[in-house]
Amino acid sequence: MNATEDALTLFSTRVRQMILQYKDLVKRNAELYAMVNEREAQIERLNAQQTQMQNDYNSLKMARMLEVTDGDVEKAQKSLQSLIRDVNKCITLLSEK
């Protein structure tokens, strides 16, 4: 009986250890999922910020191209015509699809 009791005691001890390890792993898994969710939210915020900055940059670039200073009307007209051609090309490409 002594060997059987020792085996049962050892078995129950190992089961308790495994249960504690399982609980630790569940807790760690939850922490890791929280970290992943936080990182994904941060990535989304940074992507939105990057998109906004790119749009702002493009707006500033276009405003700069259209800026008329010191009688440089001809250059501004050429830039505007180039932009119009680009827009027309885009419209044509979209119409073909």
Side-chain angles (χ1 to χ4, degrees):
M1 272 290 193
N2 198 12
T4 307
E5 290 175 3
D6 289 342
L8 283 173
T9 304
L10 180 62
F11 179 74
S12 65
T13 302
R14 296 290 162 91
V15 169
R16 275 186 252 132
Q17 288 174 345
M18 288 179 63
I19 290 171
L20 290 174
Q21 287 178 347
Y22 171 77
K23 288 180 181 179
D24 288 341
L25 287 175
V26 168
K27 181 180 175 185
R28 179 69 177 144
N29 193 23
E31 291 171 357
L32 290 173
Y33 271 110
M35 284 175 51
V36 167
N37 290 337
E38 181 182 326
R39 295 288 190 246
E40 286 176 351
Q42 183 181 16
I43 288 170
E44 287 181 25
R45 283 193 309 272
L46 291 173
N47 282 337
Q49 184 180 5
Q50 188 267 341
T51 302
Q52 181 62 40
M53 289 180 153
Q54 186 67 38
N55 290 338
D56 292 348
Y57 171 76
N58 288 336
S59 296
L60 288 171
K61 188 168 71 171
M62 188 170 300
R64 182 74 176 153
M65 289 175 67
L66 295 176
E67 186 177 275
V68 180
T69 57
D70 298 330
D72 200 9
V73 175
E74 187 175 319
K75 184 178 177 183
Q77 285 178 341
K78 287 180 182 179
S79 296
L80 188 56
Q81 288 172 353
S82 173
L83 288 173
I84 290 171
R85 278 193 300 273
D86 289 342
V87 168
N88 286 336
K89 287 178 188 177
C90 291
I91 291 172
T92 303
L93 289 172
L94 290 173
S95 297
E96 292 174 358
K97 292 183 179 184

